Amino acid sequence: MNTTLESYYLSKPEPYQSCLLALKDIILRANPGICHERKFQIPFFTYKNKKLGYLWLNQKKLMLGFCLDKSLQEAIAGIKPKDKYESFRIDPNADLPMEIIMEKLTYYLGRIDEGL
């Protein structure tokens, strides 16, 4: 992990830091092809050069987001495609919703695999 990414995680107070690090590990372990970088000042994940998801801590709200890259969406004449995002809040003091996280990861990884 590069130092700017590492410093992002290490700069966050507990319990957010531990939760962010756990989420990062879960996402990276889901598929060896997932890449981890810092984009838009937050940890961002890509897969096969397509946007996959992100982690975002905004004040006291910890969000896990997923992205459907515009290049994977059906082209509609006259409409400029945009990336579609969905996110949900993670409670750093509760157990991680593993079933939802894995379901979303599987869905978005599958969409990327189908689209290539």
Side-chain angles (χ1 to χ4, degrees):
M1 182 174 16
N2 70 38
T3 53
T4 57
L5 260 173
E6 194 173 323
S7 64
Y8 175 86
Y9 292 105
L10 298 178
S11 71
K12 303 305 175 203
E14 289 295 352
Y16 300 101
Q17 183 184 113
S18 297
C19 192
L20 285 164
L21 289 167
L23 288 165
K24 172 192 68 129
D25 286 343
I26 291 164
I27 293 167
L28 291 175
R29 288 179 187 189
N31 187 299
I34 296 173
C35 296
H36 185 220
E37 57 193 271
R38 191 161 179 178
K39 218 180 219 182
F40 316 114
Q41 301 303 314
I42 59 173
F44 209 89
F45 301 88
T46 58
Y47 176 63
K48 297 184 178 177
N49 294 317
K50 304 289 181 199
K51 295 175 187 129
L52 175 64
Y54 59 90
L55 298 172
W56 185 39
L57 180 59
N58 182 13
Q59 290 159 16
K60 299 280 182 208
K61 282 197 295 196
L62 176 57
M63 305 297 289
L64 170 59
F66 293 96
C67 178
L68 182 58
D69 198 285
K70 63 186 172 196
S71 67
L72 302 173
Q73 299 172 38
E74 192 176 321
I76 301 169
I79 297 176
K80 184 178 178 192
K82 290 184 176 181
D83 296 331
K84 291 183 181 172
Y85 290 91
E86 79 169 314
S87 62
F88 56 98
R89 195 168 176 175
I90 300 287
D91 180 350
N93 295 306
D95 289 343
L96 291 174
M98 288 301 296
E99 193 173 314
I100 295 169
I101 294 168
M102 295 314 294
E103 186 180 294
K104 295 290 183 189
L105 274 169
T106 301
Y107 172 78
Y108 284 97
L109 289 167
R111 290 294 303 263
I112 293 170
D113 283 337
E114 289 167 16
L116 297 178

